[in-house]
Each structure stands twice: as C-alpha cells, then as structure tokens.
Amino acid sequence: MKEFILILVSSVLVNNYVLSQTLGICPFLGVSKKLNQAVGMGMAVTFVMVIATAVTWPIQNFILSSFDLGYLQTIVFILVIAALVQLVELFLKKAVPALHKALGVYLPLITTNCAVLAVCINALKDNNVPDMGSATFLYALLYAFGSGIGFLLAMVMFAGVRERIAASKPPKAFEGTPITLISAAIVSFAFLGFEGLFSKL
C-alpha cells in the first residue's frame, strides 16, 4: 500500500511533468485560457497516458527487449501514441463535438506531447519512486495515471490563474504572453515546496 501512495504522490505532486519537469508545455500554455478546455485536455492526455503505457509496457518487455530491438523504442512508442490520439479525436468528434472544436489543433498535438512519451518511457523504470521495487505492469499503470492526474491538476490550476488574471486587467506591458509566462513560472515555483516530501512519508 505504501508503494502505491508513493507512486501517486510522486507522479502528481513531487515530479509533476508540467510544473517540475517542464514537459508538455505546449498544451499547458495553449489550452488553459478557459477552465472547461483545460479539463477536457487534461482528461484526454490522462487517458492517452494510461492507455499508451498499457500498450507500450508489454511491447517493450515482451517484444523489443526479448528480440534485442530496444533501439526501436522511441519510434514504436510514438506510433502507438499517434494511433491512440486518433481514436480519442474520433471519439470526441462524435460524442463531444463542442469540446473537439474548442481543443482544435491542440488535440492532434497530443501525439507530439513530450510528456506522454516521457511517461511511457519512465513507466518502464524502477527508480521513479523510492523503495518502489521492480517496475511491474500495475506500477507502470499507476505511475501513468498519477502523471496524467498531475497534468490535469496543472492545467486546471493554471486555467484558474489565467481567468483571474484576465479579470484583473494587468498593466498593458504585461498583457498576453508576458503575464502568462510569469504566472506559469510562479505556479511552478509553488510546486518546489513538494520536494523532500518522501522523507515525511
């Protein structure tokens, strides 16, 4: 049970892919103007992260590693992610057309979202969480889910910040991109407080 808690806390807060590792910044900055869009993108990325990990973990362990084809890891993982993103896009287009239209070009860009690829690769390692042991399939899925929730949390927090900033009318020199980047930096600084959290658990 302790291992599960460590994996979730680590992936959501301590090693948050957006705010601690600065991965997946494109959708973080591009789809965080409105809360509903941020939630939709965060949920889509979480789904892709979990499903992509569920597919790539056995591919790596039973095919690529068994046949000494590790050098194909990146290209195979990207192809798997691209296929899954296409499925998500088709589903949203049919089931939630308003969200599909709101996400626009950022939905296909999940394919090139470095955070998704990083989760698939890092889920294979056994050093993401202290005292985790071997990187079993269940641990990998939990790590991917936690990473997705961390991405969703970052998106929702930043969307709330941006909505407040838009309502507060910042100085003209800071409008647009400057205040967005400054706000992103301040939000990411807040997550530095979670470093060293494992010593308390």
Side-chain angles (χ1 to χ4, degrees):
M1 187 65 182
K2 179 183 177 183
E3 289 81 5
F4 292 107
I5 295 173
L6 289 174
I7 292 170
L8 283 175
V9 172
S10 171
S11 53
V12 174
L13 300 175
V14 180
N15 296 314
N16 186 286
Y17 271 90
V18 178
L19 299 176
S20 296
Q21 302 185 44
T22 61
L23 296 172
I25 297 297
C26 178
F28 177 67
L29 296 176
V31 197
S32 57
K33 290 182 181 179
K34 295 182 179 178
L35 186 59
N36 60 337
Q37 293 179 8
V39 171
M41 175 57 83
M43 291 175 65
V45 169
T46 301
F47 176 79
V48 172
M49 282 181 175
V50 173
I51 301 301
T53 300
V55 175
T56 55
W57 192 93
I59 288 175
Q60 175 67 39
N61 284 280
F62 300 122
I63 300 175
L64 299 182
S65 295
S66 298
F67 295 97
D68 200 23
L69 298 172
Y71 58 91
L72 293 175
Q73 183 190 70
T74 302
I75 188 70
V76 170
F77 283 17
I78 288 175
L79 289 173
V80 169
I81 293 167
L84 292 171
V85 169
Q86 288 300 312
L87 291 175
V88 171
E89 187 173 8
L90 288 172
F91 172 77
L92 288 179
K93 193 173 184 179
K94 292 288 185 183
V96 196
L99 179 59
H100 179 268
K101 186 177 180 182
L103 294 177
V105 70
Y106 292 100
L107 186 56
L109 282 178
I110 295 176
T111 302
T112 56
N113 187 338
C114 53
V116 178
L117 180 61
V119 166
C120 291
I121 293 173
N122 287 332
L124 297 166
K125 300 177 181 177
D126 60 1
N127 59 353
N128 289 306
V129 179
D131 304 320
M132 176 176 157
S134 60
T136 64
F137 184 65
L138 182 59
Y139 283 155
L141 288 182
L142 191 62
Y143 176 76
F145 177 72
S147 300
I149 295 300
F151 186 90
L152 174 62
L153 174 66
M155 292 287 292
V156 169
M157 285 177 55
F158 195 53
V161 169
R162 290 187 74 175
E163 286 184 354
R164 291 291 299 271
I165 289 171
S168 65
K169 296 180 181 179
K172 195 164 186 66
F174 288 94
E175 287 180 355
T177 304
I179 195 65
T180 300
L181 294 176
I182 291 170
S183 302
I186 292 171
V187 171
S188 65
F189 281 143
F191 269 64
L192 291 176
F194 293 113
E195 287 189 3
L197 186 62
F198 285 121
S199 61
K200 308 259 185 207
L201 294 175

